[in-house]
Amino acid sequence: MRADARRNYERLLEQARLAFAEHGVDASLDDIARRAGVASGTLYRHFPTRLELIEAVLGERVAELAQLGRDLTKEPDSYQALTTWLRAAIAHALTFRGLSAAILNSAVDGGADLVSAWHAETFAMGTALLHRAQESGTVIATADAADVLRMIGAIAWAAQDSPDPSAQAERLLTLLSNGLRPATRANRRVRRSAPLDDERGSSAES
């Protein structure tokens, strides 16, 4: 691709990403071209169909999420690395859920293979970060990668219609993160020493 064509391609992707996040997958393609500073014909030469543009935007974002994961595997704090990546994955799901639905609901040949590849890449990255945190002892050994990633999707789904999706997602992620932490000795001691409700009631009656 020539340098000027590459610049046009990148500007179109950037403006498409902004437009889809703001207006959904039905955003005007002509408006995307205008915001990118190119003619509509240029957009259609690069992306003959709306679905191809959606796939390009999603593919770029999935690649960025995977690269973030690879970078985070070098961080010394494995628990912080895991939660940073999980937070980014939720943000991705919140912003681009409409794009994902458009891909998943399409009947384009090869579309299913493309989505499977994206899911596999994301799952592998999340699994690697989780296992690293487990090996360091900062996450419970019984945590299952598939379950954790399902909960990430559930958090995005639960937060999407709240007045402040990002804040709601952060609160839910905090609950999940706390659940992944091993119980400290102090916490175990508090749990053992705390009387049950029936015991407290019996003590009060006596």
Side-chain angles (χ1 to χ4, degrees), residues 135-190:
E135 290 171 359
S136 71
T138 56
V139 165
I140 55 175
T142 54
D144 178 77
D147 289 341
V148 171
L149 292 175
R150 286 191 190 100
M151 284 187 278
I152 291 302
I155 287 173
W157 178 83
Q160 64 187 11
D161 294 323
S162 68
D164 189 343
S166 296
Q168 178 66 54
E170 184 63 28
R171 289 194 294 272
L172 294 173
L173 177 60
T174 298
L175 292 174
L176 170 60
S177 300
N178 289 341
L180 291 173
R181 295 288 260 176
T184 64
R185 184 175 301 174
N187 286 341
R188 288 196 295 270
R189 186 164 56 248
V190 168

Side-chain angles (χ1 to χ4, degrees), residues 8-16 32-33 36 38 43 46-47:
N8 289 340
Y9 180 88
E10 292 174 351
R11 284 200 297 266
L12 285 166
L13 273 185
E14 178 62 23
Q15 292 305 320
I32 290 172
V38 302
L43 183 148
H46 284 292
F47 309 103

Side-chain angles (χ1 to χ4, degrees), residues 12-29:
L12 285 166
L13 273 185
E14 178 62 23
Q15 292 305 320
R17 179 165 53 182
L18 295 172
F20 289 150
E22 184 178 356
H23 302 294
V25 294
D26 295 324
S28 168
L29 298 186

Side-chain angles (χ1 to χ4, degrees), residues 43-128:
L43 183 148
Y44 290 110
R45 279 196 297 275
H46 284 292
F47 309 103
T49 68
R50 179 183 296 272
L51 186 59
E52 288 180 73
L53 179 57
I54 291 170
E55 288 175 346
V57 170
L58 263 183
E60 182 183 59
R61 299 301 289 165
V62 170
E64 290 175 2
L65 190 61
Q67 184 58 53
L68 172 64
R70 286 189 288 271
D71 293 340
L72 287 169
T73 59
K74 304 169 187 174
E75 290 295 318
D77 188 332
S78 58
Y79 176 78
Q80 187 64 41
L82 172 65
T83 55
T84 296
W85 189 85
L86 293 177
R87 185 172 289 106
I90 291 173
H92 169 85
L94 278 174
T95 303
F96 296 103
R97 64 185 184 278
L99 305 190
S100 300
I103 296 290
L104 292 172
N105 293 332
S106 71
V108 176
D109 291 339
D113 292 338
L114 180 62
V115 174
S116 295
W118 286 341
H119 286 178
E121 186 173 19
T122 302
F123 181 81
M125 200 70 261
T127 300

